[in-house]
Protein backbone atom coordinates (compact mmCIF):
# COMPACT_ATOMS: atom_id res chain seq x y z
CA UNK A 1 0.00 0.00 0.00
CA UNK A 2 2.88 2.38 0.71
CA UNK A 3 5.02 1.09 -2.19
CA UNK A 4 7.59 -0.36 0.21
CA UNK A 5 7.54 2.71 2.48
CA UNK A 6 5.97 2.89 5.90
CA UNK A 7 2.59 4.59 5.97
CA UNK A 8 2.76 7.77 8.04
CA UNK A 9 -0.29 9.14 9.84
CA UNK A 10 -1.55 12.58 8.84
CA UNK A 11 -0.24 15.43 10.97
CA UNK A 12 -2.47 17.62 13.05
CA UNK A 13 -5.48 15.28 13.07
CA UNK A 14 -7.35 15.55 16.36
CA UNK A 15 -9.78 12.86 17.39
CA UNK A 16 -12.64 13.16 19.83
CA UNK A 17 -12.09 11.82 23.35
CA UNK A 18 -11.50 8.08 23.78
CA UNK A 19 -15.06 7.29 24.78
CA UNK A 20 -17.78 5.13 23.31
CA UNK A 21 -21.53 4.74 23.68
CA UNK A 22 -22.55 1.13 24.38
CA UNK A 23 -25.64 -0.79 25.43
CA UNK A 24 -25.75 -0.80 29.21
CA UNK A 25 -24.97 -4.23 30.68
CA UNK A 26 -27.86 -3.64 33.08
CA UNK A 27 -30.31 -2.47 30.40
CA UNK A 28 -33.70 -3.85 31.26
CA UNK A 29 -35.28 -4.38 27.90
CA UNK A 30 -38.79 -5.50 28.64
CA UNK A 31 -39.91 -4.52 25.14
CA UNK A 32 -37.57 -5.69 22.34
CA UNK A 33 -39.39 -3.29 19.99
CA UNK A 34 -37.99 -0.33 21.96
CA UNK A 35 -34.47 -1.65 21.40
CA UNK A 36 -35.19 -2.26 17.72
CA UNK A 37 -36.51 1.30 17.33
CA UNK A 38 -33.41 2.69 19.03
CA UNK A 39 -31.11 0.68 16.76
CA UNK A 40 -33.10 1.77 13.71
CA UNK A 41 -32.77 5.41 14.72
CA UNK A 42 -29.04 5.07 15.39
CA UNK A 43 -28.36 3.39 12.04
CA UNK A 44 -30.54 5.77 10.05
CA UNK A 45 -28.47 8.65 11.42
CA UNK A 46 -25.08 6.93 11.65
CA UNK A 47 -23.14 4.39 9.61
CA UNK A 48 -24.01 0.76 10.39
CA UNK A 49 -22.66 -0.76 7.19
CA UNK A 50 -19.96 -2.61 9.15
CA UNK A 51 -22.73 -4.66 10.81
CA UNK A 52 -23.73 -6.20 7.47
CA UNK A 53 -23.22 -9.83 6.55
CA UNK A 54 -19.57 -10.53 5.71
CA UNK A 55 -18.44 -7.16 7.09
CA UNK A 56 -15.90 -6.65 9.86
CA UNK A 57 -18.64 -6.42 12.51
CA UNK A 58 -21.04 -8.93 10.97
CA UNK A 59 -20.53 -11.60 13.66
CA UNK A 60 -21.21 -9.64 16.84
CA UNK A 61 -23.70 -10.81 19.48
CA UNK A 62 -26.96 -8.90 19.96
CA UNK A 63 -25.66 -6.61 22.72
CA UNK A 64 -22.53 -5.75 20.72
CA UNK A 65 -24.67 -5.09 17.62
CA UNK A 66 -26.75 -2.60 19.59
CA UNK A 67 -23.59 -1.07 21.07
CA UNK A 68 -22.03 -0.63 17.63
CA UNK A 69 -25.18 1.09 16.36
CA UNK A 70 -25.40 3.34 19.41
CA UNK A 71 -21.72 4.26 19.14
CA UNK A 72 -21.80 5.12 15.45
CA UNK A 73 -24.63 7.59 16.16
CA UNK A 74 -22.87 8.95 19.25
CA UNK A 75 -19.67 9.56 17.28
CA UNK A 76 -21.58 11.15 14.39
CA UNK A 77 -23.11 13.55 16.92
CA UNK A 78 -19.61 14.57 18.15
CA UNK A 79 -20.03 12.54 21.35
CA UNK A 80 -22.79 14.77 22.66
CA UNK A 81 -23.93 13.34 26.02
CA UNK A 82 -27.55 13.53 24.88
CA UNK A 83 -26.67 11.29 21.91
CA UNK A 84 -26.04 8.31 24.21
CA UNK A 85 -29.33 7.60 25.90
CA UNK A 86 -31.54 5.43 23.71
CA UNK A 87 -34.38 5.12 26.22
CA UNK A 88 -31.89 4.65 29.08
CA UNK A 89 -30.43 1.55 27.41
CA UNK A 90 -26.98 3.07 26.70
CA UNK A 91 -24.03 4.36 28.69
CA UNK A 92 -20.78 6.16 27.88
CA UNK A 93 -17.63 4.15 28.58
CA UNK A 94 -13.89 4.77 28.34
CA UNK A 95 -13.22 1.05 27.82
CA UNK A 96 -12.82 0.30 24.12
CA UNK A 97 -15.61 -2.18 23.21
CA UNK A 98 -13.92 -3.24 19.94
CA UNK A 99 -13.81 -6.97 19.24
CA UNK A 100 -11.33 -7.71 16.42
CA UNK A 101 -11.81 -7.50 13.55
CA UNK A 102 -14.61 -5.09 14.52
CA UNK A 103 -13.39 -1.63 15.55
CA UNK A 104 -15.69 0.75 17.35
CA UNK A 105 -14.48 3.98 15.76
CA UNK A 106 -13.87 7.39 17.28
CA UNK A 107 -14.54 10.31 14.95
CA UNK A 108 -12.18 13.10 13.98
CA UNK A 109 -12.84 16.28 15.95
CA UNK A 110 -14.24 18.78 13.45
CA UNK A 111 -15.36 21.29 16.06
CA UNK A 112 -12.00 23.10 16.25
CA UNK A 113 -11.52 24.70 12.87
CA UNK A 114 -8.38 26.71 12.08
CA UNK A 115 -9.04 30.12 10.53
CA UNK A 116 -6.26 29.81 7.96
CA UNK A 117 -7.33 26.46 6.53
CA UNK A 118 -10.74 25.15 7.55
CA UNK A 119 -10.99 21.38 7.92
CA UNK A 120 -13.63 19.88 5.65
CA UNK A 121 -16.40 17.87 7.30
CA UNK A 122 -15.82 14.12 7.34
CA UNK A 123 -17.64 12.04 4.77
CA UNK A 124 -20.40 10.02 6.40
CA UNK A 125 -21.52 7.03 4.41
CA UNK A 126 -25.16 6.10 4.70
CA UNK A 127 -26.49 2.61 4.24
CA UNK A 128 -29.17 1.97 1.66
CA UNK A 129 -32.65 1.16 2.92
CA UNK A 130 -32.29 -2.46 1.79
CA UNK A 131 -28.97 -2.84 3.65
CA UNK A 132 -30.49 -1.34 6.80
CA UNK A 133 -33.51 -3.66 6.57
CA UNK A 134 -31.21 -6.71 6.23
CA UNK A 135 -29.10 -5.58 9.18
CA UNK A 136 -32.17 -4.99 11.34
CA UNK A 137 -33.74 -8.31 10.42
CA UNK A 138 -30.56 -10.03 11.63
CA UNK A 139 -30.39 -7.82 14.74
CA UNK A 140 -34.01 -8.42 15.68
CA UNK A 141 -33.57 -12.18 15.24
CA UNK A 142 -30.54 -12.06 17.55
CA UNK A 143 -32.26 -9.81 20.08
CA UNK A 144 -35.38 -11.97 20.23
CA UNK A 145 -33.14 -15.02 20.63
CA UNK A 146 -31.19 -13.30 23.40
CA UNK A 147 -34.31 -12.44 25.36
CA UNK A 148 -35.77 -15.90 24.84
CA UNK A 149 -32.73 -17.24 26.71
CA UNK A 150 -33.26 -14.88 29.65
Amino acid sequence: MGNGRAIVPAKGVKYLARQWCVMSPSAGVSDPNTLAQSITYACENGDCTSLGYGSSCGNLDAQSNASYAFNTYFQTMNQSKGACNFNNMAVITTVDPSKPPCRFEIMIDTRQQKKASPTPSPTVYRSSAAEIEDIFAALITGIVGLFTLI
Side-chain angles (χ1 to χ4, degrees):
M1 191 154 136
N3 291 330
R5 296 182 309 250
I7 298 173
V8 180
K11 294 179 183 175
V13 176
K14 186 174 188 292
Y15 287 86
L16 295 173
R18 288 187 48 83
Q19 60 182 6
W20 298 264
C21 178
V22 297
M23 184 173 176
S24 173
S26 62
V29 186
S30 57
D31 180 8
N33 289 329
T34 302
L35 179 58
Q37 290 168 353
S38 294
I39 292 169
T40 299
Y41 181 82
C43 288
E44 285 176 345
N45 295 285
D47 179 15
C48 291
T49 53
S50 292
L51 291 173
Y53 177 76
S55 296
S56 60
C57 301
N59 290 319
L60 297 175
D61 60 34
Q63 184 160 358
S64 295
N65 271 314
S67 293
Y68 188 92
F70 294 167
N71 186 63
T72 193
Y73 176 75
F74 177 65
Q75 298 297 331
T76 299
M77 300 305 292
N78 291 317
Q79 297 183 351
S80 166
K81 289 189 187 345
C84 185
N85 185 307
F86 297 99
N87 297 306
N88 297 315
M89 291 184 288
V91 295
I92 296 172
T93 182
T94 56
V95 177
D96 186 350
S98 297
K99 296 179 180 183
C102 180
R103 290 192 55 209
F104 283 53
E105 300 292 340
I106 296 175
M107 295 293 269
I108 294 172
D109 189 350
T110 60
R111 296 172 295 177
Q112 297 179 0
Q113 306 260 337
K114 294 180 183 178
K115 291 182 182 179
S117 59
T119 307
S121 298
T123 302
V124 176
Y125 295 96
R126 305 272 186 229
S127 302
S128 71
E131 288 173 324
I132 290 174
E133 287 176 15
D134 290 344
I135 291 168
F136 292 133
L139 288 173
I140 298 304
T141 301
I143 291 166
V144 171
L146 176 68
F147 290 107
T148 311
L149 296 174
I150 296 176

